[in-house]
Amino acid sequence: INGEFEIWMSPTGYGGPYTLTIIDEAGCCVVFSDVLFGEVFVMGGQSNMGWSMSQCYDGTVSKLYYQDIIDNSANDNVRYMQVYPNESDAPVEYLSSCITWIAASAKCVVNQCAVPYFFARRLNELYNVPVGVVVACMGATHISTWTIGGRWYNGVVKPVTRMTVRGVCWYQGEGDPDNYGQRLAELISMWRSEFENPSLYWAAVQLPRYINWEGYARSREEVKKVADIVDKYTYCVTLDTGLYPEWVAEGDPFNDDGVHPYQKEEIGSRLAEIVAGDFFGAPGVWSSPYMERVCKTENGTVDVTYKNVGEGLVLAGSYGFEVADGDGTYYDATPHLVGKDKIVLSCRATEDIKKVRYGYKNKRGEQV
């Protein structure tokens, strides 16, 4: 009645560019040029997902951390689209303000969001197919605002739910650790329903180290828990990419406490590699060891066995491990590498070890 219609095409192989022409019965036509067929992912979350390449500094705001990558970024098979911030009390059906699809080049990449760019770049490298990212994020937003009916979901995500996308990459949770895992699981279910895709892939970013170590550590655990209750879900480890306040670039007005790390290539690339490994079955891509079994020994130490260790664990530094006694008090523990997949933890402060944890405290100079 109002002239709206949808066209569904049969499966088409990767490639392009193509020209798509639509002709109606009256002979009127609409032509879409430079069309690619490839993988498309929505990039959601908070400000660290939206942090741009031009904000990744190297010591001072006058020098960019990724200048060489920007200068050599031209790649027609890496495409980028960004939905502009738009809060709305009611669901928005049509996208009215965005950066429309553009190919990677030095001129545009410098102003693009860094994690989405590096994700698309790495996935393209792995498979040599077109990869497009749709950035739909906003800083300082609570997870509830991204659920169905939430103001940011209504204005930013709802307009793109008619797109056919492979999955979502999610970087959010700062300052919001309480029961975060369950709430994220519920959000994933909602988005899958809205995109009409129950198998929509979902890859989340575990938060890096930060001065608020306790809240961030709890958030990391919550992101990990989702893997136990949600199918087609994975996450990447970024503990080593955090930014201490004293490392903030001179003149950076949005980073007094280091909440926005500049190391975005590691995050975007790891997202791509964990997607490739967990969802596409790619061998030999980056992941991380996972603690599989913890056993207390007769001499008061603890054996910790890991899985997913690749060619074997490497112990660099001695910080990060802690053990707790029966009172719940945590003490620093010393790790000893005893095998390809095993370490032994010892602690002079207590032999009554009841719990083990890693990566909760942000000690200067630690290698995690």
Side-chain angles (χ1 to χ4, degrees), residues 332 346-351:
D332 290 336
S346 61
C347 180
R348 294 181 178 180
T350 180
E351 293 185 355

XYZ file of all heavy atoms in Angstrom, residues 332 346-351:
52
model
N 49.194 -13.236 47.389
C 49.944 -13.464 46.156
C 50.547 -14.854 46.165
O 51.068 -15.319 47.191
C 51.054 -12.432 46.011
C 50.513 -11.041 45.731
O 49.391 -10.943 45.211
O 51.218 -10.052 46.040
N 52.542 -21.851 44.728
C 52.917 -21.929 46.134
C 52.720 -20.574 46.784
O 52.765 -19.541 46.115
C 54.381 -22.371 46.282
O 55.248 -21.437 45.666
N 52.495 -20.575 48.089
C 52.256 -19.326 48.816
C 52.806 -19.462 50.226
O 52.381 -20.359 50.983
C 50.755 -19.025 48.848
S 50.346 -17.505 49.726
N 53.729 -18.581 50.592
C 54.311 -18.627 51.935
C 53.325 -18.196 53.005
O 53.437 -18.573 54.158
C 55.547 -17.730 51.987
C 56.706 -18.206 51.107
C 57.898 -17.277 51.233
N 59.029 -17.738 50.430
C 60.193 -17.106 50.356
N 60.383 -15.974 51.046
N 61.163 -17.592 49.595
N 52.350 -17.389 52.629
C 51.423 -16.831 53.620
C 50.424 -17.863 54.129
O 49.910 -17.737 55.242
C 50.671 -15.643 53.028
N 50.132 -18.888 53.328
C 49.161 -19.894 53.754
C 49.349 -21.174 52.960
O 49.737 -21.141 51.790
C 47.718 -19.396 53.562
O 46.805 -20.422 53.995
C 47.437 -19.072 52.103
N 49.098 -22.299 53.618
C 49.040 -23.581 52.927
C 47.614 -24.116 52.900
O 47.346 -25.159 52.310
C 49.974 -24.595 53.602
C 51.454 -24.254 53.460
C 52.349 -25.327 54.038
O 51.799 -26.281 54.640
O 53.579 -25.226 53.874
